[in-house]
């Protein structure tokens, strides 16, 4: 058995050369096809002949003639290589399920709850996978996706799907009117948005999803918001509202009322009863067949399980 294993150890590296030689019947053509020196092919054939115990090729002009021994060995060698290729493909597939890197772009508001929940669910089954996370405005996230610097993006609202971009809504969340704690509307059961048409507004900057959402919502209510301040995250927006510098429309916080630690300032959320105020949150990806296999697995998990996972977190 030991001698058999030693013979196989000598023969196995030669199998690709034998199979290629069987197709080309020429040493030089075999060397060129495999990208190796011609002398390497000749030495490999000599080692194989030593293992088999008989010559495998006979010189015939500029080419070679395969001996009966070679004609018997080469088909089996080709079968063995096919099985090895299948095994390597399976090994890579299994490795791909456990390792890899996924690039996700997301808007600031989803880094606190939504994205961590989705990543936790995925890494429980794929602990070797790592994530590269980049956060910014909706426009920033979609630009990263388009340029190939991100595999997936979590944004609100998701763009309309196209030939190059896929998108699905994962959940919809209500929007609230955020007012200073001492405002006349604080504690109200709900308001029509046109009731505050003359008030100053604090908004996220253009390029952020909430900017366009609020503009569209106010337009449906019959007015154009008078923007007093603009910020780059909702924490800043709520802070400016708390200071009495304007009102805002934003997704709900876990607590309905917050009081700042100094100055006695705070803010309160009020339901918007008209027009219907909500934002859709969705996953976006590029429609490419050569994309990351791990990113595709994460996308499929999010689309299959994400709605239920996020709904459970919000309940």
């Amino acid at each position: 058995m030991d001698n058999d294993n030693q013979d196989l150890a000598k023969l196995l590296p030669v199998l690709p050369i034998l199979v290629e030689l069987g197709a080309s019947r020429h040493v030089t053509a075999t060397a060129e096809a495999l990208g190796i020196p011609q002398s390497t092919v000749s030495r490999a054939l000599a080692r194989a002949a030593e293992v088999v115990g008989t010559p495998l090729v006979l010189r015939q002009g500029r080419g070679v003639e395969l001996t009966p021994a070679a004609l018997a060995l080469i088909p089996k060698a080709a079968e063995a290589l096919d099985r090895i290729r299948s095994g390597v493909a399976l090994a890579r597939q299994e490795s791909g399920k456990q390792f890899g890197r996924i690039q996700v772009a997301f808007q600031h508001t989803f880094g606190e709850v939504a994205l961590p929940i989705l990543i936790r669910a995925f890494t429980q089954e794929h602990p070797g996978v790592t994530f590269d996370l980049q956060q910014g405005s909706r426009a920033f996230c979609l630009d990263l996706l388009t340029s190939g610097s991100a595999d997936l993006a979590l944004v609100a609202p998701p763009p309309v799907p196209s030939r190059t971009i896929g998108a699905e809504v994962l959940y919809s969340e209500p929007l609230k009117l955020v007012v200073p704690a001492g405002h006349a509307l604080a504690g109200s059961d709900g308001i029509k948005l046109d009731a505050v048409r003359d008030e100053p507004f604090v908004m996220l900057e253009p390029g952020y999803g909430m900017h366009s959402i609020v503009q569209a919502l106010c337009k449906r209510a019959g007015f154009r918001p008078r923007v007093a301040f603009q910020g780059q995250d909702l924490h800043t927006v709520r802070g400016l509202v708390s200071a009495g510098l304007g009102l805002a429309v934003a997704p709900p916080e876990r607590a309905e009322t917050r009081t700042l630690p100094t100055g006695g300032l705070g803010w309160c959320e009020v339901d918007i009863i008209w027009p219907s105020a909500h934002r859709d949150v969705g996953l976006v990806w590029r429609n490419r067949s050569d994309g990351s296999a791990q990113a595709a697995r994460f996308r499929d998990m999010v689309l299959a399980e994400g709605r239920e996972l996020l709904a459970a977190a919000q309940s």
Side-chain angles (χ1 to χ4, degrees), residues 29-99:
T30 297
E32 291 177 352
L34 297 176
I36 58 177
Q38 183 175 333
S39 59
T40 300
V41 175
S42 298
R43 287 195 298 269
L45 293 173
R47 288 197 304 272
E50 181 183 346
V51 172
V52 175
T54 186
L56 297 177
V57 296
L58 298 174
R59 295 288 178 180
Q60 188 176 29
R62 293 187 175 183
V64 294
E65 178 182 351
L66 299 178
T67 65
L71 292 173
L73 176 60
I74 286 174
K76 298 299 183 182
E79 292 177 11
L81 289 179
D82 285 341
R83 293 180 69 86
I84 291 171
R85 289 189 190 97
S86 297
V88 170
L90 288 173
R92 287 173 175 168
Q93 182 178 350
E94 289 303 313
S95 176
K97 292 178 181 178
Q98 297 300 324
F99 301 98

Side-chain angles (χ1 to χ4, degrees), residues 179-182 238-245 257-268:
V179 302
R238 288 191 176 91
L240 293 170
V241 171
S242 296
L245 299 175
T257 303
R258 293 288 178 89
T259 300
L260 299 183
T262 58
L265 303 178
W267 50 262
C268 180

Side-chain angles (χ1 to χ4, degrees), residues 72-246:
L73 176 60
I74 286 174
K76 298 299 183 182
E79 292 177 11
L81 289 179
D82 285 341
R83 293 180 69 86
I84 291 171
R85 289 189 190 97
S86 297
V88 170
L90 288 173
R92 287 173 175 168
Q93 182 178 350
E94 289 303 313
S95 176
K97 292 178 181 178
Q98 297 300 324
F99 301 98
R101 186 178 297 274
I102 302 172
Q103 298 173 305
V104 181
F106 64 100
Q107 291 174 225
H108 295 285
T109 49
F110 308 132
E112 198 169 347
V113 177
L115 187 59
I117 287 173
L118 299 174
I119 291 177
R120 180 180 63 183
F122 187 77
T123 55
Q124 284 174 346
E125 297 295 327
H126 307 272
V129 175
T130 57
F131 283 80
D132 285 339
L133 305 178
Q134 298 188 71
Q135 61 181 326
S137 69
R138 178 180 184 272
F140 173 77
C141 294
L142 294 178
D143 284 346
L144 288 180
L145 189 72
T146 302
S147 68
S149 298
D151 300 310
L152 302 155
L154 190 64
V155 298
V160 176
S162 67
R163 182 178 58 83
T164 58
I165 294 292
E168 280 196 28
V169 174
L170 297 178
Y171 65 98
S172 182
E173 61 182 356
L175 299 177
K176 307 283 188 175
L177 181 69
V178 186
V179 302
H183 194 275
L185 290 173
S188 170
D189 292 336
I191 59 100
K192 293 183 177 181
L193 193 59
D194 61 354
V196 294
R197 64 189 308 147
D198 296 326
E199 299 258 14
F201 273 74
V202 181
M203 299 177 62
L204 291 179
E205 294 177 353
Y208 288 81
M210 279 302 302
H211 181 92
S212 59
I213 290 172
V214 175
Q215 290 280 11
L217 186 63
C218 291
K219 183 178 180 180
R220 282 161 44 209
F223 70 97
R224 185 174 182 177
R226 177 165 57 90
V227 181
F229 293 93
Q230 294 185 131
Q232 295 183 346
D233 65 76
L234 288 176
H235 295 296
T236 299
V237 168
R238 288 191 176 91
L240 293 170
V241 171
S242 296
L245 299 175

